[in-house]
Every structure is written in C-alpha cells, then in structure tokens.
C-alpha cells in the first residue's frame, strides 16, 4: 500500500524502458525477433491486445499514472469476463523485507501489503509477480468488478505475457504499478527507485478468478493461461 511520489520520476524517465534478452516462446507467447509460430495453446500478446482494443469504460473518471501528473488520462475498462487498463509500470517493493526490497533500495518501502499470504504474512514483492490496484474510491472500486486479492491478472508488455495476481492496493487516484518480480519477468528494470516502464503496459484482470494460496506462482500461471485462452476464444 505504497504512496508513490513523483520525486523519483526524473530517474525513472531516464531508465524506465530498458531492453531485455529474448525470452522463450513458451513463457512469453512469442519469441522476440523470431518468425517462429507460438507454442500450441500459448496465448500471445497480440491475441490478448486484440481483445482490448476498444474501451467500454467502467470507471467514473480517469487515473493519473504518477502523483505529479498534470492530467488523469487512464480509464478502467471492462468486458464480460475481465477488467483492463493501459498505463505505465511503477515498481512496488512493499511487503516482506528482502535484499531487493527494503528501505535502502526503496525510499518509500512499507513492510506490508494490502493482501497477505496463506501464512498471514505480507507478500514478497521480490518473488511474487503481482499487480497493484487503486484503493476503492468514487472513481472505481475494484471489489465491485469481481476482483480481490488473489484475482488472476495477465500483464502484457511488448511481445511478452506474464501472469500474476492482485497483491496490493495503492493511492486512490493513481494506476499503473506492479511488483518487483512482475517487472523482472517482463524484462522491465525492477529497481524500485529508477526502474519501471513509462508506458506500453496492459493489465487484464480476470473477474471472479481468485486463487488460493495467493503466493502460488505456479497456480497463477496455470489459471492465467487457461483464462487467457477463454478470453481470446480458444477454449
């Protein structure tokens, strides 16, 4: 439950979009720079993005991507089965204290997350790919959209698709944040002070898809892949 500040965005803007090594097609849905066909059953980034071209807005207003942004530009959109938004990615390092996530690496580090593990502990942002949703407000209340902690999310960046869960909540007026682990799996610099992506990130949260235990990466991957196939009409 971090409060993101714009004080770090000058550094973020300078290092936000970093290139990454090509990832296996079985993980990303396509092989970067390759004409190779995607593995059977794997939903590609292009397939998911084709389903979210048009926005049927469900939020009453729009969100800023940073606390100092001049305008609120990001709507939350909905389909029958999912909720999605297109924004930047700031890095959430809150939760369990680790070598990657602590007060030295992240000036705004908080030793807690809105949702806890099955052991009643804060989530490990350095190990668990998860997404941060805005706290409930008049603009949008994620709980009224069939979402909660542990709801499965597909995150698309360039040609990569990764699956995780909703693991934390953030400021009520800001959107576009995910965990250190989620950024790393997408090839985005996960540094909480200088990393992230300025734009080009699509978040697709599947309604009524909560998994338990919330910290199971394997279960989020398996459930996410199945939900993605349904979402693009491949099931």
């Amino acid at each position: 439950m971090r409060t993101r500040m714009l004080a770090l965005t000058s550094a973020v803007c300078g290092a936000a979009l970093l290139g990454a090594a090509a990832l296996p097609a079985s993980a990303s849905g396509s092989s970067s720079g390759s004409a190779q066909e995607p593995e059977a059953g794997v939903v590609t980034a292009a397939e998911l993005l084709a389903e979210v071209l048009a926005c049927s807005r469900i939020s009453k207003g729009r969100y800023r991507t940073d606390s100092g942004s001049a305008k609120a530009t990001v709507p939350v959109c909905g389909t029958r089965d999912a909720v999605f938004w297109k924004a930047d990615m700031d890095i959430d390092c809150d939760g369990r204290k680790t070598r990657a996530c602590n007060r030295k690496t992240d000036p705004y580090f908080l030793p807690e997350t809105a949702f806890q593990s099955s052991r009643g502990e804060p989530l490990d942002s350095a190990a668990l790919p998860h997404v941060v949703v805005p706290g409930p407000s008049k603009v949008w209340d994620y709980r009224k959209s069939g979402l909660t902690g542990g709801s499965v999310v597909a995150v698309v960046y360039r040609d990569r698709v990764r699956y995780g869960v909703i693991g934390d909540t953030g400021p009520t007026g800001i959107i576009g944040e995910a965990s250190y682990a989620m950024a790393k799996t997408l090839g985005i610099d996960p540094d909480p002070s200088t990393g992230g992506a300025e734009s080009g990130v699509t978040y697709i949260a599947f309604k009524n898809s909560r998994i338990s235990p919330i910290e199971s990466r394997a279960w989020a991957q398996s459930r996410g892949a199945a939900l993605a196939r349904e979402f693009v009409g491949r099931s």
Side-chain angles (χ1 to χ4, degrees):
M1 293 177 288
R2 70 197 284 109
T3 301
R4 292 180 293 171
M5 304 296 292
L6 195 63
L8 298 177
T9 56
S10 60
V12 172
C13 291
L17 292 175
L18 298 181
L23 297 172
S26 60
S28 67
S30 65
S31 179
S32 180
S34 171
Q36 178 180 339
E37 289 295 321
E39 182 181 331
V42 174
V43 175
T44 66
E47 286 179 288
L48 285 172
L49 293 177
E51 297 296 321
V52 295
L53 289 175
C55 175
S56 177
R57 196 174 80 184
I58 61 172
S59 58
K60 293 183 179 178
R62 297 173 185 264
Y63 287 93
R64 290 177 169 81
T65 55
D66 291 292
S67 60
S69 298
K71 294 182 179 180
T73 59
V74 180
V76 176
C77 313
T79 72
R80 183 185 66 180
D81 301 313
V83 169
F84 67 90
W85 56 96
K86 302 176 183 181
D88 64 344
M89 181 182 287
D90 290 334
I91 308 302
D92 181 23
C93 230
D94 294 340
R96 182 180 175 185
K97 183 179 178 181
T98 62
R99 176 182 290 185
C101 294
N102 56 68
R103 287 191 176 88
K104 290 184 178 180
T105 61
D106 180 1
Y108 302 108
F109 174 80
L110 294 174
E112 58 190 28
T113 48
F115 306 106
Q116 298 180 324
S117 74
S118 58
R119 297 180 295 277
E121 300 171 344
L123 300 180
D124 185 347
S125 291
L128 180 66
H130 69 74
V131 167
V132 180
V133 292
S137 71
K138 293 181 180 180
V139 176
W140 177 55
D141 185 340
Y142 66 88
R143 300 170 300 183
K144 295 180 179 179
S145 295
L147 304 178
T148 188
S151 291
V152 177
V153 182
V155 183
V156 182
Y157 178 68
R158 295 179 177 172
D159 65 345
R160 305 176 182 92
V161 179
R162 296 293 182 268
Y163 300 104
V165 295
I166 291 176
D168 204 357
T169 60
T172 57
I174 298 174
I175 204 166
E177 186 174 7
S179 69
Y180 181 105
M182 178 63 80
K184 190 173 181 179
T185 66
L186 285 163
I188 295 172
D189 180 2
D191 189 290
S193 294
T194 61
E198 291 184 64
S199 62
V201 184
T202 300
Y203 304 81
I204 305 172
F206 299 105
K207 298 178 180 178
N208 305 311
S209 63
R210 179 179 178 272
I211 64 166
S212 182
I214 189 174
E215 66 269 21
S216 175
R217 291 185 63 161
W219 185 217
Q221 169 64 35
S222 175
R223 182 75 173 127
L227 288 167
R229 287 193 293 271
E230 294 177 13
F231 190 63
V232 301
R234 286 230 250 134
S235 60

